[in-house]
Structures are given as structure tokens and as C-alpha cells.
Amino acid sequence: MHQYDLYGIGAALLDTEIEVSDSDLQRLGVDKGVMTLVDDRRQRQLVGNLEDHLVTAKRACGGSGANTVIAASYFGLRTFYSCKVAADENGDFYRADLTSAGVDYPSALTQADGGITGKCLVLVTPDAERSMNTFLGISAELSVAELDREALAASRWAYIEGYLVSSPTGRTAAIALREQAEAAGVKTALSLSDPAMVHLFHDGLLEMIGDGVDMLFCNRDEALHFTDTQTIEDAARALTRYCRSFAITLGAEGALVWDGEQQHRVSGTKVHAIDTNGAGDMFAGAFLYGINRELPFPEAGELACRAAGQVVSQYGPRLRAEQYEELLAPVV
């Protein structure tokens, strides 16, 4: 019997979502549809230039890995998350939000001396695309010190957020987590996270993957860039070198999943998308729930596509508690 179904590691970021126009992005010099690392000064400048938009701002505990682990927890998995927060109001909010979501964390995740808890400004345009400007804050210092060997060894799966590749200490922690998981017989999963991470830190991601992870998550653009291929079919073949199974999300078209022996196309859910923030994170959380509950890959993929479709049809990367129950109704 495992104490945890899923152990995750990633940045702790307090998300602020603001609805903007494409002209706002152009005026502010924000790259659309990707995650851009910024310093605190730049983030404050952006917020200052969007003061008239703040009436629609929404705040939530986030970070890609956290979104996935929180989703998995709400679906019913026993979860644990390693991250780093500072001794500030956002850090207090973050820890309280993890607790309310049923996610355990290291006892050492108390108020760290100095620093600022990471923040992500998520700008959502009318086409539902999200453009993220992330100030990592103290999350840039996430290291092996934040790992909990006992909790990891007591888990069935370990999930690694690909964004950690942008931090030298975070990348080292991710590699150590994978190695410790492999030594303890814990299955490993990793998300490529963002096309910009694949473009800028390809070799670092290869280090994090090592000899191969048990499960790899990515979207179409990440798969093509990571494998340097032109078609999703070629990318799928190339990805088998790096993992023992994978899920490639294809937006409204659904997903392509591979269980190690056979590929399966999973249909997407027709929805009116208004905010794509957290779609891939939600997909991963639902999929990991499914395979933890020994659902066949096609069924896990169907659940994940329904969950991702639900989250993009509303604002924010999270669902309400009753929505998770509704999504599970056809599965149970």
C-alpha cells in the first residue's frame, strides 16, 4: 500500500489572470501564447499599465505542476507537492490553498527567510489564448533541499514540471527526483510544459528525462519542436526514444496517446473556449488519475480531454469541486 498516488515537484506561483486584447499585448510588448520569464520590475510595470483591467483580475494558487497535482487531488488521488514559497502574504495564501485542495507538502515548506513568492501574470485574449509573464521569485531557488525522500518512496508516481529546466537548481532537483524515484521503483512522468522551454532548454530537458521516463506529456508544438519533426506522426515515433508511454494533446482535436504498445486517438470535446490557461495541466492531472486507477489509456485520455475541455470553457486553471465529480460520473 502506497501512502501517496502522486508526488509532484514544480514552481509555486500565485497566478493573476487579466482579460486583455491583442492590441494590449502589442502595446506592452508581450509575446503571445507562451511563457516569458520576467523580473519583478517588469511584472510590476505590466500590472501598472493594466490598472484599468484589474477589476476583472482573478487570483489563484498556481504553477503548472501545482495545477496538475491539485487537479489529481480533486479527482481523488492522494498527493504530495514539493515547491518553495517565501515569508509573505502570497506564501501564506499558497500553503493554505494546497491544504484546502488536500495536497500534502514537506514540513519544511514554512516561511522561507527573505525572497518573494513567485507570481505569474496571465493575460487572456478574446481567442482564449493565454500569455504568461512569470516572475519566479523564490521558486528560482527550488533545490534538492525541498525534496522529501520518504514521501517520494511512498508514492506510486512522481511528476516533474518541465518549467524547472529554466532554473539551474530546479533542474538539478528534477534530475535528483527522477533518479530517486527510479531507485525506489516509483514510476516517473514529465511534462515538456511550453514550446519556449523546448526551444531554449532542449538539452536541459534531455538531462531531466535521462534514460527515459515512464510517461511524457506534451502538446503538438512541443512534440514537433522537441523531436525536430514536421508531422505529429513522425513526432510520435521519435518520442518513443524518450519515454515508455506518452500523451500528446491536440487542442480541440483531442489527443494522441501511446500505452507503450499501441497508439490511440482520443476525440476532443466540443466547447466554447474562453481561457486555455491550465488546459494541459488539467489534462495531465486527469490522465494521471485515470492510469493510477488502472483505466486503459483510451479511457484515461477521454477523461482528460473532457476535463481539459471543461477548464478552457471557463476562466482559471481550476474547476469547482462538483465539476470533478461530474466528470468522473461516466467513469465510476
Side-chain angles (χ1 to χ4, degrees):
M1 177 66 69
H2 295 86
Q3 183 179 359
Y4 297 106
D5 299 302
L6 182 64
Y7 181 117
I9 184 173
L13 303 173
L14 196 69
D15 287 349
T16 298
E17 276 203 354
I18 303 179
E19 299 168 47
V20 300
S21 65
D22 285 294
S23 61
D24 287 325
L25 296 183
Q26 294 171 3
R27 174 173 60 87
L28 297 170
V30 172
D31 292 331
K32 184 174 180 177
V34 298
M35 191 280 286
T36 302
L37 291 175
V38 298
D39 59 20
D40 191 37
R41 180 180 178 184
R42 168 62 171 163
Q43 198 175 72
R44 289 176 182 274
Q45 178 192 43
L46 290 171
V47 172
N49 278 279
L50 291 167
E51 284 184 337
D52 58 334
H53 293 63
L54 293 180
V55 291
T56 61
K58 303 170 182 67
R59 189 175 77 153
C61 163
S64 177
N67 289 338
T68 292
V69 170
I70 289 171
S73 180
Y74 274 112
F75 276 117
L77 295 189
R78 298 160 299 171
T79 58
F80 191 99
Y81 192 60
S82 281
C83 59
K84 190 162 188 170
V85 298
D88 54 21
E89 180 186 353
N90 288 344
D92 292 341
F93 180 92
Y94 202 94
R95 288 195 311 279
D97 207 26
L98 285 180
T99 298
S100 66
V103 179
D104 288 346
Y105 49 81
S107 57
L109 185 62
T110 54
Q111 295 182 346
D113 293 332
I116 302 172
T117 296
K119 299 174 288 184
C120 182
L121 181 62
V122 185
L123 305 181
V124 184
T125 41
D127 60 358
E129 187 62 85
R130 88 285 184 272
S131 305
M132 298 181 291
N133 291 263
T134 302
F135 168 59
L136 289 173
I138 205 166
S139 279
E141 301 173 21
L142 178 69
S143 69
V144 294
E146 278 66 61
L147 300 183
D148 188 312
R149 285 177 175 266
E150 290 187 9
L152 175 61
S155 301
R156 298 183 65 185
W157 280 85
Y159 179 78
I160 300 168
E161 173 191 303
Y163 283 120
L164 292 178
V165 73
S166 66
S167 160
T169 58
R171 182 167 65 250
T172 298
I175 294 169
L177 178 66
R178 174 183 51 78
E179 292 174 343
Q180 291 174 21
E182 291 168 347
V186 178
K187 292 185 177 181
T188 56
L190 181 141
S191 170
L192 294 183
S193 292
D194 192 279
M197 296 297 100
V198 174
H199 176 68
L200 296 171
F201 302 101
H202 184 273
D203 290 346
L205 286 169
L206 288 177
E207 289 182 67
M208 286 166 58
I209 290 170
D211 292 331
V213 292
D214 291 293
M215 183 74 204
L216 185 70
F217 292 98
C218 57
N219 64 24
R220 186 199 308 268
D221 288 344
E222 292 154 8
L224 294 175
H225 283 91
F226 187 74
T227 59
D228 193 23
T229 54
Q230 301 299 315
T231 69
I232 200 65
E233 292 77 18
D234 287 342
R237 282 190 289 271
L239 282 178
T240 61
R241 296 170 49 197
Y242 307 104
C243 57
R244 287 169 280 283
S245 59
F246 65 64
I248 306 173
T249 56
L250 305 172
E253 298 174 32
L256 176 65
V257 300
W258 176 57
D259 60 14
E261 296 181 357
Q262 186 176 355
Q263 289 186 18
H264 309 271
R265 286 297 294 257
V266 181
S267 299
T269 302
K270 291 184 178 181
V271 298
H272 173 59
I274 63 173
D275 178 11
T276 58
N277 181 32
D281 305 332
M282 177 61 68
F283 182 97
F287 196 91
L288 286 165
Y289 167 82
I291 58 178
N292 257 285
R293 294 297 182 258
E294 299 184 352
L295 292 181
F297 268 50
E299 291 183 31
E302 289 170 4
L303 170 63
C305 283
R306 290 201 309 273
Q310 183 73 64
V311 85
V312 302
S313 67
Q314 59 194 57
Y315 285 104
R318 306 260 285 273
L319 300 176
R320 299 185 303 276
E322 66 271 16
Q323 290 178 300
Y324 294 96
E325 297 176 8
E326 292 166 2
L327 286 163
L328 287 175
V331 178
V332 177

